[in-house]
Amino acid sequence: MLNQNRDSADTPADHWKNRLEQRTKRLPSSSDFTAKPGTAGSRRLWGARLRLALLASFFAGVMAIAAFAWRDLASEAARPVVAQERIAFKSDGVLSERWVRETLASEDGMPPVFDIKRRLESVAQVRSAEVRRMPDGTLEIRLYERRPVMRTVVRLPDGTTAPRLIAADGVIFDGINIGQLTFANLPVLDGLRHPPRAEANFDVIDGFSRVADFLDMAREKYPAIYRDWLKVSLRDYPGRPDAPGALFRVKPRLMAHSPDSAAIVEIVFSPTNFARELEGLARPEMAETIRQYMRAVDRSKFPAYRLDLSLVNWTDPRNPVPQLHLIPVSVPARQP
Amino acid sequence: MPRNNLVAAIDIGTTKTVVLIGEIQADRKLNIIGLGERPSAGLRKGEILDMSAAKEVVHAAFADAEKTAGLHGKVRHAYLSLTGSHLEGRRYVGSTSVAATRVSREDIERAKNDAKRRKTADDRFVVHYVRQPFFLDGKPLANAENMVGKRLEVSYWTIDAARNRLEELLHIPNDMGVHADDLVVSSLASAAMVADDTMKRNGVLVVDIGGGVTDYALYYNGYVVQTGVIPVGGDHITNDLALGLRISREEAESIKIKFARAYIGADDEHATVFVSNAGSPIGGREFYKRSINLIVSARVDEIFQIIRERLGRFGEGDRVAAGAIITGGTALLNGLDLCAANALKLETVVGQNPDWVTEELSGPKYSTALGLLQYALGAGDGARRMPGAPAGIMGHIRKFLRL
């Protein structure tokens, strides 16, 4: 209690205040810096002021000329187009002319033509936009869109979550006009270790092109395998395929393929060798090997396994069917 | 009392540093005019490990507080909080024979000096002599002067600290030209804010759970009877979550703040929570709430079991009728009061600063810094009497906080 603590003043011997000397640093005060310039100093001071004024005048002049030139250029470029003007629209994706009109609409009709390309390309789903005004006044717009290869969930500033898509170049976008079925059929991104960097107002995942190559190959060449993939974890992928320990971890859907392969809760691929690993996984011999293995082991003891294809087949590297590395996992890696 | 009536309260914690600047007016009113808060650096378990880093943070927080107060280089006196496992508390008893029939002031001084005559080790200095009641022929008295008796006894709860730790701590304000007017143990400073006189008379345990350490102070009959420091705090909960769930410390801290609970509920069995990766809003993982709460409750329970063990019979319910008050930054952990009540076997609440403190400073993490200002004001345990003071104090504080 404070009043009782004040008793310490009566007991100088062991109290810290009486045994520790505080050396409070002296800080400079404003008076330390005051000085009275002499006659020579005064002359120098006025000279400096004059030079400063001349320099300021010169820069003001340059700025005025630049502003005048810019206003002239801007007035040439900023011829507004009319909202009802005809638009010749093409896209290699799912965005529509209606969406373009809504996006470009403003209180004064359409924005200046130079802004149209910039505004369209500021939408993450648009990879690039070609915008031309034809001699008859028609506005020709051609969009090249990003194609989704994965889906994810983002947390919005209000705390809610929302689904998003990831393009082959790692850009994360909303998925305007993309159907629920397309969303549902894409594998889910999991275990992203590094936050995406911001670029041109949207988020980009570094080193994602290798993941896109992997997913494209699986989807195009081995659709039966790809169809069963639920999640792809990048927890062990730091963005460079040659990084030590870099792996792609795939979690298949429940009841994939057959009851035997359903025990496999995770398939591990190498970012540098996934082409060969996918090829080996797709071989009929592989399915048979897994089936035999599963029947031989005690499933009651270890009900779940990880199939690690990234481990090199040391016994016979020429064998197209990789040696089976099924590793029991104590906790199932997937959740119902 | 500082000459210019401006005083800073510097609470250097393991996770955060808070600086408040108070203006003490002639009629002993307190006007809080500045606040600076920065995440701490260079500290572990309440002790300085990296002087440069710690100093930089405190100086920055101090500068922030001065800036909010519209002052620069004007605050030259400070009260500092003190914590760490180097603090030790002991009870020393002094006694004397009453010279005449009635107890005189000289008798009281003699008894007090007898209690304080014990020498501490060369490398330790006393920080607090906290007086306990007088006993006149075995009868407890708040003030023994002019009472009739033969033998007068008085005891002190004495808190001492390691010399090196004190020198290190004092170097921080001294290096920015600020004199440390006093050092106050964190638990006592917090208790000045969250526990009123009635609670202290009835017996109350104040537990201040910070980032690196947990401080506690036990009051009985209005006097401090025990204080202590446990080198376990909120950071250990974060660490446990990071190891147990195999996630980064940042993710673990986020889970602790948003989802963790200090007990396991019936609804935890199948409930999951979604956590963004690496602090990014993109992607994420799901965790079972049961796993999170199991880890958190185990650590929190451990903290309170240690306190209970240290208090021994003093911590039993009949001696601590007002129960326990939890304060400090970790007090905001969901369900902490229930876990504490279960472990300590005491009625437990999360501490609230007095209602004259406006909302911005009402959180338990500011209790220590506010308590330091109360010590500076010289009111100490009278903190709860502030509302009864003229309304000007509230007006000044509200005026500052509603900038």
Side-chain angles (χ1 to χ4, degrees):
Chain A
M1 297 172 80
L2 183 69
N3 294 333
Q4 296 151 6
N5 287 336
R6 289 292 176 262
D7 286 353
S8 57
D10 306 330
T11 318
D14 285 343
H15 201 269
W16 70 272
K17 285 182 183 176
N18 303 305
R19 290 179 66 181
L20 275 181
E21 187 189 352
Q22 293 192 56
R23 290 179 185 160
T24 310
K25 194 174 176 180
R26 184 183 171 274
L27 298 181
S29 67
S30 57
S31 61
D32 294 341
F33 297 106
T34 51
K36 290 181 180 173
T39 317
S42 177
R43 205 179 298 128
R44 278 199 302 275
L45 189 66
W46 278 108
R49 283 177 182 164
L50 186 65
R51 281 195 294 278
L52 189 67
L54 284 172
L55 198 64
S57 307
F58 173 72
F59 274 112
V62 169
M63 292 300 287
I65 292 167
F68 183 76
W70 174 252
R71 197 184 62 178
D72 210 32
L73 279 172
S75 65
E76 280 291 311
R79 285 174 54 209
V81 293
V82 185
Q84 287 77 23
E85 195 171 2
R86 278 194 301 131
I87 293 178
F89 175 79
K90 277 186 185 172
S91 173
D92 66 345
V94 294
L95 295 175
S96 63
E97 184 183 331
R98 186 181 169 189
W99 174 82
V100 169
R101 284 189 184 277
E102 284 172 2
T103 305
L104 301 178
S106 66
E107 288 177 8
D108 303 322
M110 300 282 271
V113 72
F114 280 0
D115 284 348
I116 294 176
K117 180 179 166 65
R118 197 175 66 233
R119 285 184 63 172
L120 289 172
E121 288 181 349
S122 70
V123 177
Q125 190 166 333
V126 177
R127 184 159 48 87
S128 70
E130 288 176 2
V131 183
R132 283 194 211 103
R133 192 202 305 276
M134 304 307 286
D136 63 350
T138 306
L139 195 65
E140 189 181 275
I141 298 176
R142 183 176 176 86
L143 298 184
Y144 298 92
E145 295 182 34
R146 290 195 163 86
R147 185 177 50 78
V149 293
M150 289 188 87
R151 64 186 160 118
T152 187
V153 179
V154 298
R155 186 168 289 276
L156 301 176
D158 63 359
T160 58
T161 56
R164 290 285 185 271
L165 296 174
I166 304 161
D169 57 358
V171 171
I172 297 156
F173 60 99
D174 293 0
I176 302 156
N177 289 354
I178 292 178
Q180 289 296 316
L181 194 64
T182 309
F183 264 90
N185 286 334
L186 290 169
V188 178
L189 170 74
D190 191 26
L192 187 66
R193 296 290 298 177
H194 304 282
R197 63 188 160 83
E199 187 179 86
N201 297 325
F202 42 76
D203 293 320
V204 183
I205 300 172
D206 277 328
F208 193 78
S209 60
R210 192 68 176 174
V211 184
D213 292 344
F214 168 62
L215 293 171
D216 282 345
M217 178 176 281
R219 189 182 65 251
E220 289 164 12
K221 293 182 76 172
Y222 310 104
I225 293 173
Y226 174 80
R227 204 167 45 233
D228 288 333
W229 289 2
L230 177 66
K231 288 181 183 175
V232 176
S233 172
L234 303 187
R235 177 153 288 270
D236 295 320
Y237 180 66
R240 287 188 300 112
D242 57 343
L247 295 171
F248 294 149
R249 295 180 178 274
V250 175
K251 289 173 184 161
R253 293 176 201 278
L254 214 57
M255 298 304 291
H257 287 319
S258 67
D260 289 328
S261 54
I264 297 171
V265 295
E266 190 175 68
I267 308 169
V268 181
F269 293 91
S270 157
T272 52
N273 201 26
F274 58 76
R276 191 164 184 232
E277 292 157 10
L278 278 168
E279 186 192 350
L281 183 65
R283 286 182 169 272
E285 302 97 291
M286 177 61 102
E288 182 56 32
T289 313
I290 291 172
R291 194 174 301 119
Q292 286 175 8
Y293 186 91
M294 289 297 170
R295 285 173 187 171
V297 295
D298 181 4
R299 295 276 296 279
S300 62
K301 193 173 178 186
F302 292 111
Y305 291 84
R306 176 190 304 129
L307 175 59
D308 196 336
L309 298 170
S310 70
L311 297 174
V312 178
N313 188 351
W314 292 105
T315 51
D316 184 1
R318 289 167 302 176
N319 187 349
V321 181
Q323 187 185 354
L324 203 58
H325 288 283
L326 277 164
I327 302 155
V329 288
S330 56
V331 178
R334 66 181 169 219
Q335 292 162 8
Chain B
M1 179 68 62
R3 276 174 301 177
N4 62 2
N5 296 329
L6 290 171
V7 66
I10 306 177
D11 176 22
I12 307 171
T14 309
T15 53
K16 63 157 193 348
T17 295
V18 175
V19 177
L20 292 177
I21 293 177
E23 185 184 30
I24 297 170
Q25 297 174 343
D27 50 355
R28 303 200 69 75
K29 289 181 196 167
L30 174 66
N31 187 11
I32 302 173
I33 56 171
L35 165 66
E37 186 177 0
R38 295 263 178 153
S40 292
L43 280 99
R44 189 164 176 267
K45 297 186 181 182
E47 294 180 17
I48 298 165
L49 293 186
D50 180 343
M51 177 57 81
S52 304
K55 206 161 63 177
E56 193 177 323
V57 166
V58 177
H59 290 193
F62 197 89
D64 289 348
E66 283 192 319
K67 199 173 169 185
T68 8
L71 304 164
H72 178 67
K74 298 272 172 58
V75 185
R76 289 284 164 258
H77 297 268
Y79 276 60
L80 276 81
S81 68
L82 185 63
T83 187
S85 49
H86 63 102
L87 293 173
E88 287 175 13
R90 294 174 191 83
R91 182 170 176 264
Y92 290 133
V93 183
S95 60
T96 186
S97 299
V98 179
T101 318
R102 290 176 184 271
V103 176
S104 64
R105 287 194 177 192
E106 289 72 30
D107 294 328
I108 292 174
E109 287 307 309
R110 233 180 10 260
K112 283 181 176 178
N113 289 336
D114 186 50
K116 294 176 187 172
R117 70 185 155 80
R118 276 81 172 180
K119 292 283 179 197
T120 54
D122 287 343
D123 58 347
R124 297 191 69 79
F125 293 157
V126 174
V127 181
H128 286 289
Y129 284 110
V130 187
R131 187 175 65 74
Q132 296 180 333
F134 294 100
F135 282 86
L136 185 60
D137 298 336
K139 180 184 168 188
L141 296 168
N143 185 2
E145 193 174 352
N146 290 326
M147 299 295 284
V148 178
K150 290 180 179 173
R151 185 163 185 78
L152 180 67
E153 284 184 1
V154 66
S155 58
Y156 279 88
W157 182 256
T158 308
I159 304 170
D160 55 51
R163 175 192 182 131
N164 294 348
R165 301 290 89 78
L166 292 182
E167 284 182 342
E168 286 161 2
L169 184 66
L170 290 171
H171 176 66
I172 292 178
N174 290 170
D175 195 56
M176 54 182 174
V178 174
H179 182 269
D181 286 3
D182 209 347
L183 305 172
V184 183
V185 173
S186 289
S187 55
L188 298 181
S190 299
M193 295 310 291
V194 297
D196 61 22
D197 290 346
T198 311
M199 290 174 176
K200 288 172 185 171
R201 270 197 302 275
N202 292 337
V204 67
L205 171 68
V206 177
V207 182
D208 182 343
I209 310 181
V213 296
T214 298
D215 294 85
Y216 65 89
L218 179 68
Y219 289 80
Y220 182 61
N221 279 340
Y223 296 92
V224 175
V225 291
Q226 200 170 330
T227 59
V229 181
I230 299 165
V232 185
D235 282 355
H236 294 80
I237 301 171
T238 308
N239 214 33
D240 292 347
L241 281 172
L243 290 172
L245 302 177
R246 296 181 187 177
I247 52 179
S248 67
R249 274 188 64 83
E250 290 75 22
E251 288 168 329
E253 183 68 19
S254 168
I255 287 178
K256 185 180 85 173
I257 293 167
K258 291 180 188 167
F259 307 113
R261 202 164 55 183
Y263 64 91
I264 301 164
D267 56 333
D268 290 346
E269 193 63 43
H270 300 294
T272 58
V273 294
F274 176 88
V275 178
S276 303
N277 275 305
S280 151
I282 310 299
R285 289 171 66 192
E286 279 189 328
F287 296 96
Y288 282 105
K289 280 187 87 172
R290 184 182 164 80
S291 310
I292 296 169
N293 295 344
L294 198 65
I295 293 167
V296 173
S297 59
R299 180 61 85 171
V300 173
D301 186 66
E302 182 200 19
I303 292 172
F304 292 115
Q305 292 294 354
I306 293 171
I307 293 173
R308 187 166 184 242
E309 195 175 305
R310 287 204 187 170
L311 295 179
R313 62 190 173 83
F314 288 107
E316 288 169 8
D318 54 337
R319 289 171 182 260
V320 195
I325 301 174
I326 315 291
T327 185
T330 309
L332 297 172
L333 182 68
N334 191 5
L336 191 77
D337 47 347
L338 290 179
C339 182
N342 188 46
L344 296 169
K345 312 290 181 211
L346 295 172
E347 194 82 20
T348 306
V349 293
V350 173
Q352 289 291 322
N353 291 322
D355 53 9
W356 54 266
V357 175
T358 46
E359 200 173 339
E360 191 176 344
L361 291 180
S362 64
K365 65 178 179 174
Y366 296 113
S367 301
T368 306
L370 288 166
L372 289 174
L373 284 184
Q374 286 303 316
Y375 269 82
L377 184 67
D381 286 4
R384 290 280 172 168
R385 289 193 290 273
M386 289 293 286
I393 298 168
M394 292 166 68
H396 283 303
I397 292 168
R398 287 184 180 144
K399 187 180 167 191
F400 161 67
L401 292 176
R402 287 174 184 173
L403 279 173

